[in-house]
Amino acid sequence: MIDDHFLMKINQDLPKTHVAIKRRKDAAFPNPRLSKAMASSPTFAPLILWTLLMFRSFEFGHSEALTNVSCFGTEREALLKFKQGLIDHSKRLSSWSSKDCCEWKGIECGKNTGHVIKLDLRNPGCETSPYEEILCSNKRSLRGDIHASLAELKHLKYLDLSFNDFSKQKISQFFGTLQRLEYLNLSSAGFDGNIPHHLGNLSNLQYLDLANMFGAGYLTIVNLQWVSKLSSLKYLDLSSIDLRNATDWLSSINRLSSLQSLRLENCRLKQLPHSPSVNFTSLRFLDLQDNSINCTIPPWFHNFSKLEHIDLSGNDLRGTFPRTLFDNNQQLSFLDVSYNSLEGQILKNFSSLYKLRILTLVGNNFDGDVWSVFHGPLEAAQSDLRICYVDGNNFSGPLPNQWVSFKNLELLSLSENSISGPIPVTLGELSSLRWLYLDSNKLSGNIPGSIGQLSNLGTLDISNNSFNGVVSELHFANLTSLTHLDISYNQLVLNFDPVWVPPFQLQFIYVLGCNVGPKFPLWLQTQRNISSFYMSNANISDEVPNWLSDILLNVESLDLSNNMLRGPISRMDGNKMKLLQHLFLSNNSLSGSIPNSLCAMEELSYLDLSKNQLSGRLPLCLKKLENLEWISLGDNRLSGQITNSFCHIKWLEALLLHKNGFNKMLPKCLSNLTNLLFLDLSDNDFTGEIPPFGQHSQLLALIDLKNNSFTGGIPSQLCQLNHLRFLSLAQNNISGSIPLCSNGLLSMAGNSNYQSYWTEILSIYVMVDTKGTSRIYGKTLQIFHSIDLSGNNLNGEIPKELTRLVQLQNLNLSRNNLSGKIPSNIGNLKNLESLDLSNNEISGRIPPSISNLDFLSYLNLSFNNLSGPIPSSNHLRTVDDESVYRGNDRLCGAPLLKVCPGDEQHPNINGQDGDFWNRGEPNESNLDTHNWFYAGLGPGFTIGFLGFCSALHFKQSWRKSYFQAIDRIIEKLMIWGTITTLLFKRAF
């Protein structure tokens, strides 16, 4: 029997499991995968490492100094040759000079034999990090060539060369001659190429780690038959090795009857064969995460009976999770099936999992009542659940009321589901809780004061729900560990005593969309560790306090937009916020000029000061902010010239300066900004020619230069902008012809799939002249294609090349001097919704193909020189208004009153209306209508008459009134008849 002390020593000496990050909201949020590993390590880590137990308990498990033996000369010479091939910058092998090699660092000899049995040269610079399992220092890495002299170490049982840098070397075949090896670790050492099958000769091997986690090399395996010969193998790690072509991987590994730990993370596997003969009866640890497995979970999963750790995350598994897996594995402590396409009510299957510590179901389609996992047998005894992480599913129902059995729960994350109802008061019983995520659900009601009793709680996120009521100091009474608070987008009112001193020091404050105002919260003055501060749309109507910059010494992100902040912007002292990266102050009432202290924020990447009352010129020192990616200063009162300083900001992606008073010429060097995506300089007074955007700035997706005083022609370089979706040069003094973009503007032509830069649009809103009015477009810009060249002095013909831009939804060429004809294939613009060619000198006929524009809802061809008949089509009925064609005296046909020659109406032989005739020929459809009219007249009269008689029969009051009226009419007729008769007789 091995005592616990020795087992703990093994656990400490070996590398920890590498875990990839799969979800991280913020730096304050814990890495869920790391949290899982930390919380579950007391149970499954010894099980993973148990495979080393037997051979560690033999010779190389002892580290006592040798007394009566020294190393053999042949082995010493072999080691020296091996050293000569290495590059050792950190002098790790400096001890390899004495006579006795058994005293060298990294070498261990047999206590009785003196033979070298252990060579451990693992990079000692590898440490555990918060977000990656292992981080290694290249300074401590060994480099160079591995000499074949290692084959002389015939008694070697333990070999570890992991986490070094033997870049692009192949794994030598001589490793297969070390037949006494029980432990071989070559992981993450930069090896390249196909793994030699000679490793199959190591029949005594119990531990094999060839993982290539850091990607320094590219290892592949075409055939895994050699693995089946390793009959003693207990631990196998082939993570990040390309196994796509190793179709025999499962059948080969299935022959390893002693295998207890199998790791095949990120091996590009695509399928799990459904062979019923698979039988992993000894397996305790299974990791298949981050592959591309696209199938249902195969039936042989039912054969697992000893599994304690299952990780199938990051694949495309579908269907339901097998219930029998839970019934057969009551020792299961770790289950991660996140980021797949699994479905069903998995939570009903946990009745026997008393030892479950880590449960991760993120990003699937599981449904059912969320309380199922906390109800029934799992609730009856003291649960050992530490991590419950089920975000992004379809769980519904209310939160459970009973939490007394979950005293060990540290992370509860139920985000992005459909959970409803209030937060139960009993949630305050989770005394060990450190992370609580309930965001993006349908929760409602007041926040219970018992939340304030969770003294270990570090993160509280209840954002994006329907909570209401008042939040006061009671809710934070004992939250001494709280560092992350997010209560955004609820109907909450924050009401604190002005003298309240919080028991916490927050790093991350998210209070967006709550009622915080009207004054700035005074309790903020006590906070000194703020890293992210988001309080936009919080109903704050106050001047910027003088102390604000003093509490933001460590801030990296600041968002106070959409409030009513007043006062000079100079109170935001950049000299005190040098770490700031994101600054959002838009839609306030800040005044004054932009201070030079802004340039002290050398890390600044996003700057949004739009929709304020800022004035003056831009500081020249902006060129010092080399990390700027986003500059939004639109809708202010800024003035002056745009200088060359912007050209030095090489990472700039968005320059938004619309609705200001900027003037003079734009520097041509702006067109050299290779990362520029969005350019909005509209509604200013810029003059001169438009810079040749497109020659270098080929990523531009939006250009809005409307309502300025630009002159000259349209630069032909614009045709090279293959990602352009929005172009507006309207209301300038541009002249010349429209460029012939025959092979450019691929996005508008439907030949470009590059859309990633539209996914995170921040504060971009443009005014678009479309459908006869001006409209604001915001988020919909990412699916909107528009060209507006209206209100200029353009001449020449409309290029037929424009008709290849089939993605266009808005085309406005009005109020120019364009001539020639409308392109005959204008109907190719299938997605066009608005077309305005008015107020030009366009002549000729309207092309019949214009009737093919199925989505056209606005058309304006007025005040041109068009002639001939207007095309008739059902598609044009939505624009069937004579104003569309006004000012074209030679147009004829509906909807105009002017009839085209040859379309005059002709009377027919019976004197009926001319609608029956067309060019002197009978109109069959009208004749049919005429015949049907008379055919239906008789039955219609009959039905009406019968209906009238029925009403008289069933309605006594109607019948009585009817006959009384008839009597009166008859009486009057008789009187008139008598009078007529008398008069007639008298006359004769």
Side-chain angles (χ1 to χ4, degrees):
M1 297 293 293
I2 305 300
D3 58 30
D4 293 340
H5 176 74
F6 182 59
L7 188 60
M8 187 178 298
K9 185 177 185 301
I10 296 176
N11 191 15
Q12 292 172 348
D13 288 344
L14 293 175
K16 295 184 178 179
T17 306
H18 173 84
V19 177
I21 299 175
K22 292 198 174 167
R23 171 183 183 266
R24 196 170 75 200
K25 293 184 180 179
D26 197 282
F29 282 68
N31 182 326
R33 307 297 299 280
L34 180 61
S35 300
K36 294 184 293 184
M38 292 169 59
S40 61
S41 59
T43 296
F44 70 79
L47 294 171
I48 304 170
L49 304 173
W50 186 90
T51 56
L52 307 178
L53 197 55
M54 297 301 296
F55 59 86
R56 286 283 295 207
S57 62
F58 297 137
E59 291 103 339
F60 59 85
H62 304 280
S63 58
E64 296 88 357
L66 297 177
T67 55
N68 298 321
V69 295
S70 60
C71 71
F72 288 83
T74 55
E75 294 179 348
R76 183 180 186 276
E77 292 300 320
L79 289 170
L80 289 175
K81 289 182 180 179
F82 169 66
K83 177 186 176 182
Q84 290 176 359
L86 300 178
I87 301 173
D88 180 19
H89 291 302
S90 63
K91 307 299 180 183
R92 287 170 53 191
L93 306 182
S94 59
S95 63
W96 287 29
S97 59
S98 64
K99 184 176 181 180
D100 189 356
C101 65
C102 293
E103 297 178 351
W104 295 353
K105 186 175 181 179
I107 304 296
E108 189 173 317
C109 298
K111 185 175 181 180
N112 298 320
T113 65
H115 286 293
V116 175
I117 60 172
K118 179 177 180 179
L119 175 57
D120 185 356
L121 296 180
R122 170 187 168 87
N123 184 355
C126 297
E127 298 177 355
T128 304
S129 76
Y131 301 116
E132 288 181 303
E133 194 78 24
I134 299 293
L135 282 180
C136 292
S137 171
N138 290 329
K139 296 180 180 179
R140 307 295 300 277
S141 295
L142 295 174
R143 294 177 173 83
D145 298 324
I146 297 177
H147 200 281
S149 61
L150 285 183
E152 300 297 325
L153 305 179
K154 301 297 184 181
H155 297 268
L156 196 64
K157 294 185 177 183
Y158 185 108
L159 177 59
D160 191 342
L161 301 176
S162 60
F163 298 102
N164 287 291
D165 187 11
F166 304 114
S167 183
K168 305 304 180 182
Q169 284 191 65
K170 295 183 181 298
I171 297 177
S172 301
Q173 296 181 6
F174 77 79
F175 284 109
T177 65
L178 302 173
Q179 296 189 5
R180 296 196 182 189
L181 271 182
E182 297 177 1
Y183 181 102
L184 178 59
N185 191 344
L186 304 178
S187 65
S188 303
F191 290 109
D192 196 30
N194 194 42
I195 296 175
H197 62 85
H198 301 81
L199 296 182
N201 297 331
L202 305 177
S203 57
N204 293 312
L205 203 61
Q206 298 181 35
Y207 184 106
L208 177 60
D209 190 348
L210 302 176
N212 189 27
M213 302 306 297
F214 292 160
Y218 182 70
L219 289 171
T220 61
I221 296 178
V222 178
N223 189 311
L224 259 179
Q225 290 182 3
W226 57 269
V227 172
S228 63
K229 300 177 183 179
L230 306 177
S231 57
S232 301
L233 201 63
K234 293 182 173 64
Y235 182 100
L236 177 61
D237 190 346
L238 302 177
S239 297
S240 294
I241 296 176
D242 192 345
L243 297 181
R244 282 179 296 179
N245 298 320
T247 56
D248 62 340
W249 69 271
L250 182 58
S251 59
S252 299
I253 296 175
N254 188 39
R255 298 175 189 174
L256 304 176
S257 58
S258 300
L259 191 65
Q260 297 184 11
S261 181
L262 175 61
R263 299 198 60 205
L264 299 177
E265 174 186 347
N266 190 27
C267 290
R268 302 189 180 185
L269 300 173
K270 296 186 178 298
Q271 291 291 326
L272 289 177
H274 280 236
S275 173
S277 60
V278 177
N279 187 20
F280 289 120
T281 56
S282 300
L283 203 62
R284 299 190 179 190
F285 184 102
L286 176 63
D287 187 350
L288 296 175
Q289 66 173 300
D290 294 330
N291 282 284
S292 302
I293 301 173
N294 184 353
C295 65
T296 58
I297 296 178
W300 48 264
F301 262 69
H302 303 173
N303 299 333
F304 295 130
S305 59
K306 297 181 179 180
L307 270 179
E308 300 185 16
H309 181 111
I310 304 176
D311 194 339
L312 303 177
S313 59
N315 285 286
D316 194 20
L317 294 169
R318 58 184 185 273
T320 59
F321 198 85
R323 296 170 180 251
T324 54
L325 187 63
F326 301 135
D327 298 333
N328 298 337
N329 292 272
Q330 298 184 11
Q331 302 298 315
L332 193 66
S333 65
F334 181 105
L335 175 64
D336 187 351
V337 294
S338 57
Y339 301 103
N340 282 285
S341 300
L342 296 169
E343 57 190 21
Q345 298 186 13
I346 188 173
L347 297 185
K348 288 187 175 181
N349 305 328
F350 288 95
S351 58
S352 59
L353 301 182
Y354 298 107
K355 296 187 177 182
L356 188 67
R357 290 190 171 201
I358 310 298
L359 174 63
T360 307
L361 310 176
V362 182
N364 282 282
N365 297 312
F366 295 123
D367 54 24
D369 288 332
V370 70
W371 55 264
S372 299
V373 72
F374 306 105
H375 184 67
L378 190 57
E379 182 186 13
Q382 184 69 28
S383 171
D384 202 22
L385 191 66
R386 306 290 181 88
I387 305 294
C388 182
Y389 188 47
V390 299
D391 295 19
N393 283 281
N394 299 317
F395 295 123
S396 58
L399 291 171
N401 285 319
Q402 299 299 323
W403 296 92
V404 66
S405 299
F406 299 93
K407 296 295 186 181
N408 296 322
L409 192 62
E410 297 180 20
L411 186 148
L412 178 60
S413 186
L414 308 176
S415 306
E416 300 176 27
N417 283 284
S418 298
I419 304 170
S420 58
I423 296 178
V425 175
T426 53
L427 198 66
E429 298 173 357
L430 298 176
S431 56
S432 298
L433 199 63
R434 300 169 61 190
W435 297 280
L436 177 60
Y437 303 108
L438 301 177
D439 55 288
S440 304
N441 277 286
K442 299 178 180 179
L443 295 167
S444 58
N446 296 332
I447 309 299
S450 60
I451 291 288
Q453 303 305 314
L454 301 174
S455 57
N456 290 309
L457 194 66
T459 297
L460 173 61
D461 188 348
I462 58 173
S463 61
N464 289 288
N465 280 286
S466 298
F467 293 118
N468 54 34
V470 176
V471 175
S472 66
E473 53 267 24
L474 174 67
H475 296 89
F476 303 97
N478 294 318
L479 301 187
T480 56
S481 302
L482 193 66
T483 59
H484 185 121
L485 175 64
D486 192 346
I487 59 175
S488 303
Y489 304 116
N490 285 286
Q491 300 172 21
L492 296 172
V493 177
L494 275 65
N495 186 11
F496 298 102
D497 192 309
V499 298
W500 176 58
V501 177
F504 48 71
Q505 283 292 321
L506 292 177
Q507 297 179 26
F508 302 89
I509 303 175
Y510 297 93
V511 197
L512 299 87
C514 294
N515 193 344
V516 178
K519 297 295 183 180
F520 234 92
L522 295 179
W523 62 267
L524 288 172
Q525 296 183 66
T526 66
Q527 305 300 297
R528 289 292 182 267
N529 299 326
I530 301 176
S531 177
S532 292
F533 185 21
Y534 287 78
M535 200 172 279
S536 68
N537 194 25
N539 197 29
I540 299 176
S541 178
D542 196 5
E543 290 198 1
V544 178
N546 292 322
W547 48 263
L548 184 60
S549 298
D550 296 327
I551 68 169
L552 301 177
L553 301 179
N554 299 310
V555 71
E556 296 179 3
S557 297
L558 175 62
D559 186 355
L560 297 173
S561 59
N562 298 300
N563 284 291
M564 291 174 278
L565 294 177
R566 305 184 303 274
I569 194 174
S570 57
R571 290 185 179 179
M572 307 295 297
D573 191 352
N575 293 311
K576 296 180 179 180
M577 298 183 290
K578 294 186 176 181
L579 301 180
L580 196 62
Q581 299 177 20
H582 307 129
L583 178 58
F584 304 105
L585 298 175
S586 63
N587 201 17
N588 281 286
S589 298
L590 298 173
S591 58
S593 59
I594 299 175
N596 287 325
S597 66
L598 181 75
C599 301
M601 306 174 185
E602 295 183 357
E603 302 297 323
L604 196 64
S605 58
Y606 285 81
L607 174 64
D608 188 352
L609 305 177
S610 60
K611 296 184 179 180
N612 278 283
Q613 299 176 16
L614 304 178
S615 58
R617 298 174 179 269
L618 297 179
L620 296 176
C621 61
L622 281 177
K623 62 182 179 182
K624 296 181 180 179
L625 303 179
E626 296 181 354
N627 295 316
L628 268 178
E629 300 176 19
W630 201 279
I631 300 177
S632 180
L633 304 175
D635 209 348
N636 278 286
R637 302 170 183 173
L638 299 168
S639 60
Q641 184 178 5
I642 300 301
T643 64
N644 292 343
S645 59
F646 283 99
C647 303
H648 297 281
I649 309 175
K650 61 181 179 179
W651 301 112
L652 193 62
E653 296 180 0
L655 181 59
L656 313 174
L657 306 178
H658 52 282
K659 290 188 179 180
N660 277 286
F662 294 115
N663 54 27
K664 298 188 178 179
M665 298 177 62
L666 284 178
K668 289 187 176 181
C669 61
L670 282 180
S671 62
N672 297 331
L673 293 172
T674 56
N675 292 292
L676 196 60
L677 304 175
F678 311 109
L679 178 67
D680 188 352
L681 306 179
S682 60
D683 297 290
N684 282 283
D685 196 23
F686 292 113
T687 59
E689 296 186 354
I690 298 174
F693 295 108
Q695 186 173 2
H696 301 288
S697 50
Q698 296 186 11
L699 296 178
L700 268 168
L702 180 147
I703 299 178
D704 191 351
L705 304 179
K706 69 173 176 289
N707 198 17
N708 279 282
S709 299
F710 288 112
T711 57
I714 300 176
S716 60
Q717 291 84 353
L718 292 180
C719 295
Q720 302 175 28
L721 297 174
N722 290 329
H723 307 305
L724 192 66
R725 289 167 174 256
F726 183 94
L727 173 64
S728 179
L729 306 179
Q731 301 174 51
N732 281 281
N733 296 315
I734 302 171
S735 57
S737 59
I738 300 174
L740 308 178
C741 298
S742 57
N743 295 314
L745 303 177
L746 296 182
S747 178
M748 293 187 181
N751 297 325
S752 175
N753 295 321
Y754 186 69
Q755 301 178 8
S756 60
Y757 46 74
W758 285 97
T759 57
E760 295 183 357
I761 290 184
L762 299 174
S763 63
I764 292 186
Y765 299 92
V766 298
M767 187 70 71
V768 184
D769 290 332
T770 180
K771 299 183 181 181
T773 185
S774 294
R775 305 184 180 192
I776 294 178
Y777 280 71
K779 293 182 179 180
T780 53
L781 278 173
Q782 57 184 312
I783 57 172
F784 186 65
H785 296 76
S786 173
I787 292 180
D788 187 353
L789 305 179
S790 62
N792 282 286
N793 297 313
L794 297 173
N795 53 39
E797 297 187 0
I798 300 175
K800 62 180 181 180
E801 286 79 7
L802 271 179
T803 60
R804 57 182 290 275
L805 307 182
V806 295
Q807 296 295 327
L808 270 181
Q809 293 152 280
N810 177 53
L811 178 59
N812 191 344
L813 304 179
S814 65
R815 291 172 289 127
N816 279 286
N817 299 315
L818 297 173
S819 56
K821 298 181 179 180
I822 299 175
S824 59
N825 54 350
I826 190 74
N828 291 347
L829 301 178
K830 296 291 187 180
N831 292 296
L832 205 60
E833 300 174 8
S834 176
L835 174 62
D836 193 344
L837 304 178
S838 63
N839 290 277
N840 280 285
E841 299 176 8
I842 303 171
S843 58
R845 293 177 175 247
I846 300 175
S849 70
I850 202 170
S851 302
N852 299 331
L853 301 179
D854 296 341
F855 297 102
L856 193 67
S857 59
Y858 179 83
L859 174 66
N860 194 347
L861 303 178
S862 63
F863 299 104
N864 280 285
N865 297 318
L866 298 170
S867 59
I870 297 173
S872 60
S873 169
N874 291 333
H875 297 315
L876 291 180
R877 287 183 178 177
T878 56
V879 292
D880 195 5
D881 189 324
E882 64 177 7
S883 64
V884 171
Y885 311 101
R886 185 181 301 153
N888 294 278
D889 296 337
R890 292 187 291 171
L891 281 178
C892 60
L896 300 179
L897 298 178
K898 183 178 180 180
V899 180
C900 294
D903 286 348
E904 294 86 355
Q905 296 177 344
H906 299 279
N908 64 14
I909 56 176
N910 295 319
Q912 301 297 328
D913 188 80
D915 288 340
F916 288 100
W917 301 92
N918 183 18
R919 300 184 185 276
E921 298 294 331
N923 188 318
E924 293 181 2
S925 63
N926 285 338
L927 286 173
D928 288 341
T929 303
H930 181 265
N931 294 334
W932 276 106
F933 172 77
Y934 287 107
L937 188 61
F941 174 81
T942 303
I943 293 173
F945 179 76
L946 290 176
F948 176 73
C949 293
S950 298
L952 293 180
H953 176 73
F954 292 104
K955 196 72 173 177
Q956 182 177 358
S957 59
W958 288 16
R959 186 168 61 250
K960 183 178 180 179
S961 300
Y962 172 73
F963 286 110
Q964 288 177 349
I966 292 296
D967 289 339
R968 286 194 295 270
I969 293 173
I970 293 174
E971 182 179 355
K972 290 182 178 180
L973 289 176
M974 292 178 63
I975 293 174
W976 280 104
T978 303
I979 294 174
T980 304
T981 303
L982 293 173
L983 291 174
F984 181 79
K985 290 181 178 180
R986 186 176 182 179
F988 291 94

